Every structure is written in C-alpha cells, then in structure tokens.
C-alpha cells in the first residue's frame, strides 16, 4: 500500500536501528500505551515477535526509505475493545519529527481502504488517551466518530490504568445495506 509520500510495508530486521531511534523517544510510546524502547536489541525483538504479522506495517517515508512509524489492526479477540466478529481495531504511531505533517492521516486512510475493501470488515474501531488529543484528531479527520464510550485497555504495557476514548468508523457499504 502506498501514496506519493509513504509506503506501508512489512517490518524487517534491518529496521531495528530506525525503530529504536524513534521508539526510544519518551514522548512517543507512552502516548500509544507502550514504554520507550531501551536498546536496539529490544527493538529487534519487537520486530521479530510483535511486528512479525500480516496486519502490522512500517510506515516508510519514501523520500528517505526509513520507517518513521507503525500502522496496523487487531481482529476480534486481539483487540482491547469489545468488537464484533467481523470488526477490527486500528492502531498507529508516528515518530515525533513527523508529527503534524499529515503522515499518520495518510497512512490511516490507506489502512481504512484496505480494511474495508480488501478485508471486508464491517466496522473499524480505535481508541486514544484523552491526554493525546492529536491521535483523536487523526481518527476524526479520517471519518471516525466518538462513541462516547470509555475503556481501560488491559493489554497495554503502559497505561492500562488510564481511560481511553473509543472511536468507530462503519463500513459505508454495510451501513447502506442496513438502510435498504
């Protein structure tokens, strides 16, 4: 999946140093619910285990060829949210030097298109910490609506004791079928 500026591609072991460079920033991980990476070896292990998945991608900046963030989804049973069998929860982060450049919104739009048009999910869900309103703005900009629900995400490494706001985006095709 790609746009003019970015590419969503699988993570590879060669990305460990770039991942560490950005994931060690104490302003990045805690906003998404995970602790800053401590060293390159930890980043490599995360690539080998957590990021070694068919539904988690590196956000590569085409201009540099470097991964500057992560985008992915979780299916029912993996999600921190009580979602339907044919739903997914999306999640993402982008490195601080790339905040406020539209990269996250661009990547999320690609993921939304993939999840609805390739995977056929009925709904996409997302959540964010209220103290990270920028993430909520990205979701809203991409069509997600605030459900008014609050959740605690027990699966988060960091922040499981902090509430998150839940957002939802319905597949327009499914919504149109329900109306007709």
């Amino acid at each position: 999946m790609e746009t003019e500026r970015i590419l969503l591609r699988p993570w590879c072991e060669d990305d460990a140093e770039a991942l560490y460079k950005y994931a060690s920033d104490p302003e990045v991980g805690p906003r998404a619910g995970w602790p800053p990476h401590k060293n390159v070896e930890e980043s490599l292990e995360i690539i080998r285990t957590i990021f070694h998945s068919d539904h988690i991608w590196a956000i590569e900046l085409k201009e540099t060829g470097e991964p500057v963030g992560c985008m992915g989804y979780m299916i029912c049973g993996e999600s921190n949210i009580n979602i339907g069998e044919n739903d997914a929860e999306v999640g993402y982060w982008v490195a601080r030097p790339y905040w406020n450049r539209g990269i996250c919104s661009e990547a999320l739009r690609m993921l939304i298109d993939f999840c609805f048009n390739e995977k056929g999910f009925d709904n996409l869900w997302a959540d964010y910490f209220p103290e990270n309103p920028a993430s909520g703005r990205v979701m809203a900009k991409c069509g997600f609506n605030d459900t008014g629900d609050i959740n605690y995400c027990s699966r988060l490494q960091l922040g499981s004791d902090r509430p998150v706001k839940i957002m939802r985006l319905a597949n327009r095709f499914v919504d149109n079928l329900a109306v007709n």
Side-chain angles (χ1 to χ4, degrees):
M1 296 180 276
E2 64 183 291
T3 66
E4 193 173 303
R5 292 192 309 164
I6 60 173
L7 171 69
L8 294 184
R9 61 149 174 92
W11 285 90
C12 59
E13 291 187 6
D14 291 345
D15 294 327
E17 285 188 35
L19 175 58
Y20 173 68
K21 177 169 74 172
Y22 297 124
S24 62
D25 183 337
E27 292 296 316
V28 174
R31 291 175 187 259
W34 45 268
H37 292 198
K38 296 179 194 83
N39 51 51
V40 174
E41 292 74 26
E42 179 183 16
S43 294
L44 178 60
E45 185 62 21
I46 286 170
I47 289 170
R48 288 177 174 161
T49 57
I50 297 169
F51 292 175
H52 186 73
S53 165
D54 64 352
H55 50 267
I56 298 176
W57 298 273
I59 302 171
E60 179 183 302
L61 194 60
K62 285 182 171 181
E63 182 180 311
T64 64
E66 180 179 54
V68 297
C70 187
M71 179 71 56
Y73 68 87
M74 295 172 280
I75 57 174
C76 183
E78 298 173 352
S79 175
N80 287 301
I81 304 169
N82 185 19
I83 63 174
E85 286 291 322
N86 199 40
D87 293 354
E89 176 188 355
V90 299
Y92 52 82
W93 63 267
V94 73
R96 187 169 18 166
Y98 301 97
W99 290 356
N100 300 312
R101 294 188 182 186
I103 291 171
C104 210
S105 299
E106 198 171 317
L108 183 54
R109 283 188 190 100
M110 276 194 289
L111 183 62
I112 290 167
D113 181 65
F114 176 79
C115 285
F116 285 152
N117 297 319
E118 300 294 324
K119 300 302 289 182
F121 291 122
D122 293 338
N123 297 286
L124 295 180
W125 300 85
D127 56 39
Y128 68 96
F129 294 112
E131 63 269 21
N132 183 13
S135 187
R137 285 191 299 273
V138 167
M139 294 170 197
K141 189 176 183 180
C142 292
F144 283 79
N145 295 300
D146 189 338
T147 65
D149 293 332
I150 300 291
N151 192 34
Y152 288 86
C153 302
S154 61
R155 296 177 188 206
L156 293 179
Q157 290 180 289
L158 188 63
S160 61
D161 59 339
R162 297 178 359 228
V164 292
K165 290 187 172 192
I166 299 175
M167 305 282 279
R168 174 183 172 258
L169 177 63
N171 186 330
R172 287 168 188 81
F173 178 72
V174 172
D175 270 3
N176 287 340
L177 286 178
V179 171
N180 294 329

